[in-house]
Amino acid sequence: MKTSLTLVAVLAGIVSANPIVRSSKYKRAGLQGLDFEIINLARNLESLELNYWNQGLKNFTDDDFNQAGYQGFRHYLELFRDQEIAHFTVLNEAAGMGFENCTYTFPVTTPYDLLAVGQVITTVGEGAFIGGIANLTDSPARQTGGTIIGNEARQNSLLRQYLGLDYFNAVNFDTPLTASQAYSLAAPFLNCPSSNPPINFHKIPPLMANFTSGSTPHSPGDEITVMWDSSSVYLGGDVHITFLGDVYSIAQPLTQSGDGMGTTTLPKNINGTSILVATNFEGGGPIPDKQNFAIGYVVVA
């Protein structure tokens, strides 16, 4: 417990205004196998979010946000930080064992970057909890995960509202992610010490995607350029791009136009922030780990 409290204090950077929610419902002794692996991943994701908001508080003042057009946002940033302290504390106590702070690197240099990357991070966090709950057998763990989902969704909606994106009607259902998909989308930001319990999920290579036609909000048929590292990722001729969004998993043709480069188009029924997977999987349900050849995202609306 002493280690957990010390770590939370270090992660917070400054004293939280809100009380820390303590959990006595479940401990490491009660989490085995996949339950522990999912909660350990969740702990890492919450630690990442906590450090993300801490870096925002450290790097940007009220004036910075106000001049960028985000009046009053720093207040919410402090609230986000306090919420993530609570989430991390509960999950860290649940998972137990030694967890040391990782090194976190984010592509953020402006207030806009902070909000834009933040809405993607909260999208991934929310999807990770939705997908993870389906595979948890421990009832208190499922309940705790469910209570965090709503908080992630509120953070995401506020960020999208400040960014001028569709923050209410973007989707009817939020998108579940497999543990491997969520871990892989967060992995570029993480560099954790080897002494930490490993994240034992398949790491999917990154897929970079950008719209090259249309404007936000994007429409079906708008072109998307996708890029991948061809030295480590081979995409055969049977590979397509699957768009994950709402309750939909929609396959779109991939036209490979060069080494590590290709194009696809936005299908109907995809809105908000969509996860893109290069795959040859054509069945229903979640894409099997080893058939996620590369993964990325696009902001549709």
Side-chain angles (χ1 to χ4, degrees), residues 10 23 39 93 125 129 140 164 166 189 194 252 289 292-293 295:
V10 171
S23 172
I39 293 300
E93 290 179 350
F129 278 102
D166 191 342
F189 307 131
S194 59
Q252 285 287 91
D289 280 353
N292 288 262
F293 301 135
I295 189 167

Side-chain angles (χ1 to χ4, degrees), residues 23-98:
S23 172
S24 59
K25 289 186 175 182
Y26 61 109
K27 302 295 182 184
R28 171 66 181 97
L31 293 175
Q32 303 295 329
L34 185 59
D35 280 354
F36 171 73
E37 301 299 344
I38 292 172
I39 293 300
N40 182 47
L41 172 61
R43 168 173 61 178
N44 276 272
L45 293 176
E46 293 303 304
S47 175
L48 182 151
E49 290 188 21
L50 172 52
N51 276 271
Y52 186 75
W53 304 129
N54 266 336
Q55 288 189 25
L57 287 167
K58 178 182 177 181
N59 295 332
F60 302 113
T61 65
D62 276 323
D63 285 344
D64 291 330
F65 286 112
N66 292 341
Q67 290 176 15
Y70 309 125
Q71 281 74 18
F73 180 76
R74 202 171 192 279
H75 163 73
Y76 293 109
L77 194 55
E78 293 172 349
L79 176 62
F80 289 1
R81 182 274 319 279
D82 290 350
Q83 292 170 338
E84 299 310 327
I85 291 174
H87 297 168
F88 174 81
T89 301
V90 169
L91 294 169
N92 193 49
E93 290 179 350
M97 303 174 64

Side-chain angles (χ1 to χ4, degrees), residues 260-295:
M261 180 178 293
T263 58
T264 187
T265 55
L266 181 69
K268 295 180 180 179
N269 299 317
I270 294 295
N271 207 343
T273 297
S274 178
I275 307 302
L276 275 59
V277 179
T279 182
N280 60 7
F281 180 67
E282 296 181 350
I287 302 171
D289 280 353
K290 296 300 177 67
Q291 286 180 269
N292 288 262
F293 301 135
I295 189 167

Side-chain angles (χ1 to χ4, degrees), residues 10 34 45 62 71 81 99 116-117 125 134 155 168 190 198 215 222 226 236 243 250 253 258-259 269 277-278 293 296:
V10 171
L34 185 59
L45 293 176
D62 276 323
Q71 281 74 18
R81 182 274 319 279
F99 181 91
V117 176
Q155 290 181 3
F168 187 74
L190 285 169
S215 59
D222 282 357
V226 295
F243 288 74
I250 302 175
D259 189 27
N269 299 317
V277 179
F293 301 135

